[in-house]
Amino acid sequence: MIRTEPTPRRPGDAGRGRETGQGPVGDDGRDHTSYLFSWELHGRLLWFANLRWAAVVGLAAAALAGPAVGMPSTNPSLAVVAALVAVYNLGFIYLLRYRLGPESAYGDLRTAAILQMVTDLAALFVTVHFTGGCASPVLPFVVFHMAIGTIMIETRSMYLLACAACGAAAGLFVLEHLGVLVRYPSAAGGVSTVATCGLSTAMLVGLVFGVVYLTDSVTSRFKARNVELHQITTELQRSLAEREAVERRKSHYMRISAHQLRSPLGTIKTSIQVLLDGYLDPGSAEGRRLLEGTAARVDSLLAIVNDLLELAKMREGRVKAPWARNVSVNQILADIFDAQDTFASEAGVELVPRFIQEGAAVLDWAVPPDLVYAFENLIHNAIKYSKPGGGTVTVGLAVDHERATVVVADQGIGIPDGLHEDVFLEFVRAPNAKHAAAEGTGLGLSIAREAVAMHGGEIVLQSAEGVGTTVTVVLPLHRVPPELSAP
Amino acid sequence: MILLADDDPVFLESVAAVLRPRYDVRTVANGREALIAVDDDPPDLVILDVMMDHMSEGFDVARTLRSAEETSLIPIIILTGVDRVYNVRMEVDESWIPADHYLGKPVAPDELLRKVAALVGPGAAGSP
């Protein structure tokens, strides 16, 4: 079975994904990194909205105190600005609390962030205008806004906003100097000259772009680390879940195994107790029949123990198994035909070898006893579960350049729908199989699948109850375990 | 008559050997056959294995018998070879399963006879 795993990404890749606001897409089609970033962006926007109340208070205070420090133009203009900021801040808080949640699309939150930046900058430039234009003491807040914006949203948008802010500032100062807009005095007194204003504008441009660049340099590393941490955490959680599933499976397997051993033991102990307590005379015909039945239970117990050991050996890995090179599948099947011939005759089943394509199937590497076990089990099952009176069991072998395909087809009792995969699990036997043949450990197909998987192959079962079962085994011809293929 | 249901013929034979000197015994191999047998000739007692063709087949049969008016009074003994936790759970609260008694596997013949006698009397040969 092929499992699809998401392609591992380098931290840098993830970082770049974040820069554009489009993170790596997970295997469920959801953009996990954007989701992560959306969650963070939502938190930052709320934090910024709360911080904005300080600006409202500051503006209101400036409106009141401005005339006292030589800026009469601040009253009531900054009070109006404070009121407007308070109103749109309430709107943003409502939007973030009731319309855009932490799980909203990244694009929607980014739009909200840009909108906040633009409205803040607009309010700020109105404030700058009323507090002295290019000599305004609040001009550095433009730089402060740029730093916060770069932390919140991706760099490309911030460079665009930086351009817009610098253009707006330059436009404002030009309009003031051209006399289109009134030039209000700053707190320092007087109005700025063209030279000082040009210098202030140049410094503002340098500071705005410098702050965006520096803030981005620092935060992008944290952003990349954050994404990397998220990916590692996800991987760890997945790995932990897989491990827990394995542990549960092991525990289930142990419990089922113990029960399967306990069941015949219970019968054996009960039978012996019945004989020991004198309820039946061991010498009588009934007593003897019970003893024979008990001996059969001991045999089934031994068969289970042997199969469990076989399965355990395969699962532990077969690097030290008796492997061989150039193993002929034809020969293995021919030997099994010989060995099963008597059993087939007794069951009235005709064994039909059918080689779909001429040619020898030779595996570069194989563990012959395990392959024998697998094919013997499949052919033995096909005979054992043939309908009373017999039928045919056809064993086909096809070969191409890459693989050998063995098909074991019977006309037997079949496997009920819904159990076609389960019969490969340990101790699972279909009810009709239990009725048809009392003996059977329920481990044969588990071992067969394990043996085939160990050779890099796969086993597929098709069956219809009452019609028959076809098991197809595909084995790669040129597979050699990595530890043996090294030069 | 006692109806015994278990998918292991050797176990059936052992338990039947213990009961036969005192009671009429009929044996069946699964839950479906048990329900048919009850319908055919209602027994005085039903002894059911839990796991037959299906995981909880014995419980299912017991519930079916308890839910039908004409069979709801037939005493039931559940036999089980499942793990100890399962047994403890049944000891703590026998109402968890619709049975009068349960017996763990392997079955001790004397204990089996005692529980059977408690439900349907000592049988033909007097007190066990």
Side-chain angles (χ1 to χ4, degrees), chain A residues 255-256 259 262-267 269-271 273-274 277 279-280 286 289-290 293-294 297 431 434-435, chain B residues 8-11 13-15 17-18 30 51-54 80-84 87 105-107 109-110 113:
Chain A
R255 194 169 64 78
I256 294 286
H259 176 68
R262 184 184 159 130
S263 191
L265 277 172
T267 297
K269 167 74 176 161
T270 303
S271 305
Q273 201 63 51
V274 166
D277 290 356
Y279 289 95
L280 271 183
E286 281 181 320
R289 200 169 61 239
L290 192 60
T294 308
R297 285 291 164 278
K434 284 188 204 169
H435 287 141
Chain B
D8 184 338
V10 180
F11 185 81
E13 212 171 315
S14 303
V15 176
V18 174
N30 57 50
M51 288 172 72
M52 291 183 272
D53 286 349
H54 305 291
T80 176
V82 291
D83 60 71
R84 196 173 296 163
N87 288 345
K105 284 181 175 179
V107 168
D110 293 347
L113 280 175

Side-chain angles (χ1 to χ4, degrees), chain A residues 135-478:
Chain A
S136 167
V138 295
L139 205 51
F141 279 99
V142 175
V143 178
F144 172 71
H145 262 77
M146 287 297 141
I148 288 185
T150 312
I151 293 170
M152 283 201 303
I153 54 183
E154 86 275 4
T155 316
R156 193 179 54 177
S157 295
M158 279 316 298
Y159 276 118
L160 286 173
L161 270 174
C163 289
C166 291
L172 174 70
F173 302 153
V174 167
L175 289 175
E176 284 178 351
H177 277 278
L178 289 175
V180 178
L181 293 172
V182 180
R183 291 167 69 195
Y184 295 107
S186 73
V191 289
S192 58
T193 64
V194 173
T196 55
C197 203
L199 190 64
S200 294
T201 308
M203 282 185 69
L204 181 70
V205 170
L207 276 171
V208 162
F209 280 94
V211 159
V212 170
Y213 174 76
L214 285 173
T215 310
D216 176 59
S217 308
V218 175
T219 55
S220 63
R221 288 182 202 161
F222 287 112
K223 287 175 184 174
R225 286 278 166 84
N226 208 4
V227 173
E228 196 182 347
L229 195 64
H230 173 72
Q231 286 174 338
I232 291 169
T233 307
T234 307
E235 280 302 313
L236 276 174
Q237 283 170 340
R238 183 181 301 172
S239 161
L240 191 66
E242 277 173 8
R243 183 139 191 100
E244 280 172 355
V246 168
E247 287 300 321
R248 274 198 302 276
R249 172 104 186 92
K250 267 168 134 178
S251 170
H252 176 75
Y253 174 64
M254 280 173 67
R255 194 169 64 78
I256 294 286
S257 301
H259 176 68
Q260 292 294 327
L261 294 173
R262 184 184 159 130
S263 191
L265 277 172
T267 297
I268 292 164
K269 167 74 176 161
T270 303
S271 305
I272 290 172
Q273 201 63 51
V274 166
L275 292 163
L276 280 176
D277 290 356
Y279 289 95
L280 271 183
D281 176 7
S284 69
E286 281 181 320
R288 182 158 181 78
R289 200 169 61 239
L290 192 60
L291 276 172
E292 284 167 358
T294 308
R297 285 291 164 278
V298 174
D299 287 342
S300 72
L301 203 56
L302 276 173
I304 291 173
V305 170
N306 288 336
D307 278 357
L308 280 174
L309 284 171
E310 196 67 36
L311 197 56
K313 270 196 290 184
M314 286 187 196
R315 288 188 176 163
E316 281 168 7
R318 296 287 268 161
V319 178
K320 292 177 183 171
W323 58 270
R325 294 201 187 272
N326 303 322
V327 175
S328 165
V329 179
N330 301 56
Q331 188 58 52
I332 285 176
L333 290 178
D335 290 347
I336 295 170
F337 267 54
D338 287 344
Q340 296 290 320
D341 194 45
T342 310
F343 179 53
S345 301
E346 286 170 2
V349 171
E350 185 189 357
L351 273 178
V352 182
R354 184 168 293 164
F355 298 98
I356 300 163
Q357 189 178 317
E358 287 300 324
V362 178
L363 307 183
D364 287 355
W365 176 93
V367 179
D370 292 353
L371 276 187
V372 168
Y373 186 100
F375 288 125
E376 193 168 51
N377 191 276
L378 296 179
I379 295 169
H380 188 85
N381 275 354
I383 299 167
K384 184 163 76 172
Y385 298 118
S386 284
K387 288 173 192 158
T392 58
V393 169
T394 308
V395 181
L397 171 63
V399 195
D400 63 20
H401 296 299
E402 298 295 327
R403 60 190 73 82
T405 304
V406 178
V407 180
V408 180
D410 65 49
Q411 300 169 326
I413 59 172
I415 298 165
D417 286 347
L419 285 175
H420 293 183
E421 184 56 33
D422 288 357
V423 288
F424 286 103
L425 300 175
E426 301 88 1
F427 300 114
V428 173
R429 293 184 75 203
N432 60 343
K434 284 188 204 169
H435 287 141
E439 83 282 9
T441 62
L443 291 167
L445 282 177
S446 305
I447 298 172
R449 181 163 71 174
E450 207 71 45
V452 170
M454 195 186 68
H455 288 84
E458 61 178 22
I459 186 164
V460 177
L461 182 146
Q462 289 173 303
S463 187
E465 192 172 4
V467 178
T469 301
T470 299
V471 181
T472 305
V473 175
V474 180
L475 291 167
L477 295 176
H478 308 301

